[in-house]
Amino acid sequence: LNNDIEPLRTPDNKWSISNELYPEPYFPKYCQGAGFALSWNFIRCSSKSSSLSSSTGSNSGSKNNHLNEHHHSNHIANIRFMPFEDVAVGLLAKRCNIQPTTIKNENLMNMYRFGRSEEVWRTNNNQGKM
């Protein structure tokens, strides 16, 4: 989880971003890595798909009603260009008022399909596709 990361501004750096493209002094809080999980609240808020919003129902008194309001904003279509996908997801999360977090208990994550020793070895050593 990255928080208060300053954008790199040196043009010769692979991860550099111009002031014109991203003028803020810090990136929003975002998750970084080979993969991360997204909540249905995030998907509903950032997407305009009517099939996703219909699952939230039309309960105007619901505690999740703010998700429906954010949903209608279609944040994915209206967000500015960001070349770094992890930061782009952080920008969407910020618009949806969702705080990126890190997992509290790593035992809740299953990195392997079957847990066989060969599969664990290949995954940990980037050998072959799983």
Side-chain angles (χ1 to χ4, degrees), residues 2 5 25 48 51 60 62 83 89 112 115 122 124:
N2 291 317
I5 301 295
K48 75 173 194 171
S51 64
S60 59
S62 168
V89 172
Y112 315 105
R122 284 185 176 193
N124 291 337

Side-chain angles (χ1 to χ4, degrees), residues 3-67:
N3 194 21
D4 294 328
I5 301 295
E6 294 181 38
L8 296 172
R9 304 294 186 189
T10 54
D12 60 334
N13 189 295
K14 176 181 178 179
W15 306 111
S16 178
I17 189 164
S18 69
N19 270 321
E20 292 78 28
L21 195 56
Y22 191 82
E24 287 85 347
Y26 296 97
F27 287 132
K29 187 183 285 190
Y30 66 94
C31 298
Q32 179 181 9
F36 41 89
L38 302 174
S39 70
W40 276 111
N41 289 343
F42 177 86
I43 301 298
R44 285 183 196 108
C45 174
S46 60
S47 170
K48 75 173 194 171
S49 170
S50 59
S51 64
L52 289 174
S53 66
S54 66
S55 66
T56 62
S58 59
N59 302 338
S60 59
S62 168
K63 68 179 181 178
N64 290 329
N65 190 46
H66 71 282
L67 297 175

Side-chain angles (χ1 to χ4, degrees), residues 56-97:
T56 62
S58 59
N59 302 338
S60 59
S62 168
K63 68 179 181 178
N64 290 329
N65 190 46
H66 71 282
L67 297 175
N68 293 330
E69 292 169 12
H70 286 298
H71 167 76
H72 294 296
S73 298
N74 188 16
H75 292 304
I76 285 178
N78 296 313
I79 199 160
R80 66 181 164 189
F81 174 72
M82 169 52 66
F84 313 127
E85 76 282 351
D86 45 3
V87 177
V89 172
L91 288 168
L92 283 168
K94 186 175 180 179
R95 282 220 183 154
C96 293
N97 295 318

Side-chain angles (χ1 to χ4, degrees), residues 93-112:
K94 186 175 180 179
R95 282 220 183 154
C96 293
N97 295 318
I98 293 174
Q99 286 293 316
T101 60
T102 184
I103 190 164
K104 308 260 186 290
N105 181 351
E106 290 186 23
N107 293 328
L108 297 175
M109 296 299 290
N110 183 3
M111 302 237 345
Y112 315 105

